């Protein structure tokens, strides 16, 4: 009985982290939000996961935006593509 | 009636902005590097990026008559490239898995990945295993974003994701596609997507903690 009540109210860490990962992809429902917030109040590991997840999102955004600034398409490849274009124009 | 329509049509055409030019001879020089850089972070290997850029230029050349000049040449080329990259993800999805990918396999349950992180029995079922719970990462996380070593480690961590998880991750974060599009292109259900998204995040987090925080 107690366990059943706990289960409807309290998320496991596995469920809580799932919601944290998924919230970048879809809006959480109100009940999901409430239960997640409640879990984060009492669980320091998931709180850390939440912070780290947000940080990883930010880092990925940065990686995507500033990707490989100093990289160049190798000259050989450029020459062979250029050659093909000139020939087939 | 017909003449009026034609007049309206002509007016509309006259007021359109100037068409963008199309100069295939200077494509490689003008856009080769930027297309390549865009691709590099979205695929695993430099050779794959080179091939995709080459395919993009060749496809564009073949279809240069369909370029109508409404958008710039650059935008047009990038659109072709994006489609090529998504095709590339889709093709990879159907390739047989390598041994290392099998060991860290995909959407299937019961491969031990979640069981390693979370207790799978007892009153605390579903809670973190003590050995694998997230540690503290300290206060200066934002400094890491400016740190090349950190970004290199992050890239390596993404490279180690299983193919499908990696495709989902890259489409989401590097191509900014929405969930419905990702599901459609990779032919997976939303619940597959949530599982993959979650596992990618857990795996990247753990990889960063092991390889970057422990330094
Ligand atoms: Zn927790």
């Amino acid at each position: 009985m107690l366990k059943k009540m706990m289960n409807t109210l309290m998320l496991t860490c596995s469920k809580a982290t799932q919601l944290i990962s998924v919230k970048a992809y879809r809006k959480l429902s109100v009940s999901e939000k409430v239960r997640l917030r409640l879990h984060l109040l009492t669980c320091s590991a998931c709180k850390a996961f939440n912070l780290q997840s947000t940080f990883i999102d930010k880092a990925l955004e940065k990686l995507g935006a500033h990707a490989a600034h100093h990289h160049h398409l190798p000259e050989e490849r450029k020459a062979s593509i250029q050659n093909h274009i000139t020939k087939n124009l | 009636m017909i003449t009026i329509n034609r007049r309206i049509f002509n007016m509309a055409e006259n007021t359109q902005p100037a068409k963008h030019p199309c100069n295939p001879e200077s494509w490689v020089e003008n856009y080769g590097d930027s297309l390549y850089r865009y691709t590099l972070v979205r695929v695993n290997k430099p050779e794959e990026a080179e091939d995709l850029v080459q395919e993009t230029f060749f496809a564009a050349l073949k279809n240069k008559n369909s370029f109508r000049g409404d958008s710039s040449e650059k935008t047009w080329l990038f659109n072709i490239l994006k489609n090529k990259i998504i095709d590339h993800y889709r093709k990879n999805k159907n390739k047989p898995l390598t041994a290392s990918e099998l060991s860290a396999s995909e959407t299937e349950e019961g491969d031990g990945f979640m069981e390693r992180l979370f207790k799978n029995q007892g009153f605390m079922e579903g809670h973190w295993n003590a050995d694998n719970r997230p540690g503290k990462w300290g206060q200066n996380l934002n400094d890491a974003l400016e740190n090349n070593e950190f970004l290199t480690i992050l890239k390596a961590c993404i490279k180690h994701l299983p193919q499908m998880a990696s495709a989902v991750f890259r489409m989401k974060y590097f191509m900014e596609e929405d969930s419905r599009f990702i599901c459609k292109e990779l032919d997976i259900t939303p619940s597959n997507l949530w599982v993959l998204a979650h596992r990618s995040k857990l795996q990247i987090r753990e990889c960063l903690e092991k390889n970057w925080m422990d330094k």
Side-chain angles (χ1 to χ4, degrees), chain A residues 13-14 17-18 21 24-25 46 52-53 55 57-58 60 62 68-69 71-74 77-78 82 84, chain B residues 25 33 36-37 50-51 54 58 126-128 135 137 141-142 145 172-174 179 194 198 201 205:
Chain A
C13 298
S14 159
T17 51
Q18 165 106 56
S21 301
Y25 294 76
C46 287
Q52 291 162 10
S53 173
F55 167 71
D57 288 348
K58 226 201 274 177
L60 288 166
K62 170 142 181 140
H69 260 305
H71 287 96
H72 300 278
L73 183 62
R77 182 70 75 136
K78 275 188 188 168
Q82 186 66 55
H84 175 96
Chain B
E25 321 84 70
D33 287 337
Y36 180 63
R37 284 174 196 146
E50 284 182 42
D51 288 345
Q54 175 170 320
F58 289 4
H127 290 260
W128 291 98
W137 280 13
L141 286 184
N142 283 329
L145 296 177
K172 165 72 187 164
Y173 289 99
F174 300 153
S179 306
W194 313 143
H198 186 35
K201 193 52 97 36
R205 193 213 70 79

Side-chain angles (χ1 to χ4, degrees), chain B residues 101-118:
Chain B
E101 282 163 350
L102 273 176
S103 69
S105 149
E106 312 289 310
T107 53
E108 306 300 324
E109 300 283 336
D111 59 357
F113 179 80
M114 296 302 271
E115 287 77 3
R116 187 171 58 74
L117 296 184
F118 301 103

Side-chain angles (χ1 to χ4, degrees), chain B residues 74-91:
Chain B
K74 188 177 179 183
T75 308
W76 183 63
L77 288 167
F78 266 96
N79 280 335
I80 299 173
L81 175 64
K82 281 178 196 168
N83 285 318
K84 295 268 171 216
I85 295 173
I86 291 165
D87 276 347
H88 172 81
Y89 293 149
R90 220 187 283 137
K91 263 182 238 159

Side-chain angles (χ1 to χ4, degrees), chain A residues 1-7 10-13, chain B residues 119-127:
Chain A
M1 178 63 184
L2 180 70
K3 198 176 172 190
K4 207 175 165 193
M5 235 173 70
M6 292 269 291
N7 280 343
M10 302 292 285
L11 292 170
T12 61
C13 298
Chain B
K119 296 188 207 307
N120 59 356
Q121 56 191 347
F123 184 64
M124 293 302 278
E125 184 182 345
H127 290 260

Side-chain angles (χ1 to χ4, degrees), chain B:
Chain B
M1 193 60 191
I2 291 169
T3 44
I4 291 169
N5 272 344
R6 189 170 298 149
R7 198 175 299 151
I8 291 170
F9 180 65
N10 284 342
M11 268 170 60
E13 207 160 45
N14 286 340
T15 53
Q16 264 177 13
K19 297 282 181 189
H20 292 275
C22 178
N23 300 312
E25 321 84 70
S26 44
W27 279 350
V28 176
E29 196 194 330
N30 288 341
Y31 312 115
D33 287 337
S34 48
L35 291 172
Y36 180 63
R37 284 174 196 146
Y38 180 88
T39 317
L40 212 50
V41 74
R42 289 163 180 85
V43 298
N44 266 336
K45 298 186 194 116
E47 311 87 73
E48 291 173 350
E50 284 182 42
D51 288 345
L52 285 163
V53 171
Q54 175 170 320
E55 283 173 33
T56 299
F57 281 132
F58 289 4
L61 187 66
K62 230 181 180 173
N63 299 300
K64 67 175 190 301
N65 292 332
S66 72
F67 177 74
R68 300 185 42 231
D70 301 334
S71 58
S72 72
E73 221 180 21
K74 188 177 179 183
T75 308
W76 183 63
L77 288 167
F78 266 96
N79 280 335
I80 299 173
L81 175 64
K82 281 178 196 168
N83 285 318
K84 295 268 171 216
I85 295 173
I86 291 165
D87 276 347
H88 172 81
Y89 293 149
R90 220 187 283 137
K91 263 182 238 159
N92 270 342
K93 180 195 159 191
N94 297 325
K95 264 191 204 159
L97 298 178
T98 63
S100 70
E101 282 163 350
L102 273 176
S103 69
S105 149
E106 312 289 310
T107 53
E108 306 300 324
E109 300 283 336
D111 59 357
F113 179 80
M114 296 302 271
E115 287 77 3
R116 187 171 58 74
L117 296 184
F118 301 103
K119 296 188 207 307
N120 59 356
Q121 56 191 347
F123 184 64
M124 293 302 278
E125 184 182 345
H127 290 260
W128 291 98
N129 274 321
D131 293 344
N132 295 302
R133 47 186 287 149
K136 288 243 149 48
W137 280 13
Q139 298 302 310
N140 299 320
L141 286 184
N142 283 329
D143 294 348
L145 296 177
E146 307 301 327
N147 179 330
N148 281 333
E149 197 191 354
F150 168 75
L151 294 175
T152 306
I153 294 172
L154 177 60
K155 255 189 264 180
C157 290
I158 298 170
K159 217 178 250 192
H160 282 103
L161 289 175
Q163 273 168 4
M164 273 299 272
S166 158
V168 163
F169 223 59
R170 289 171 207 255
M171 278 170 89
K172 165 72 187 164
Y173 289 99
F174 300 153
M175 310 197 62
E176 288 157 25
E177 298 295 356
D178 68 23
S179 306
R180 195 181 302 176
F181 182 89
I182 298 174
C183 287
K184 191 178 127 241
E185 292 300 324
L186 297 175
D187 191 24
I188 54 177
T189 64
S191 59
N192 290 151
L193 177 63
W194 313 143
V195 171
L196 287 166
H198 186 35
R199 293 187 47 155
S200 308
K201 193 52 97 36
L202 288 166
Q203 197 173 326
I204 297 259
R205 193 213 70 79
E206 194 174 41
C207 178
L208 285 175
E209 187 162 300
K210 272 194 190 135
N211 295 292
W212 173 58
M213 291 312 293
D214 285 359
K215 279 186 182 273

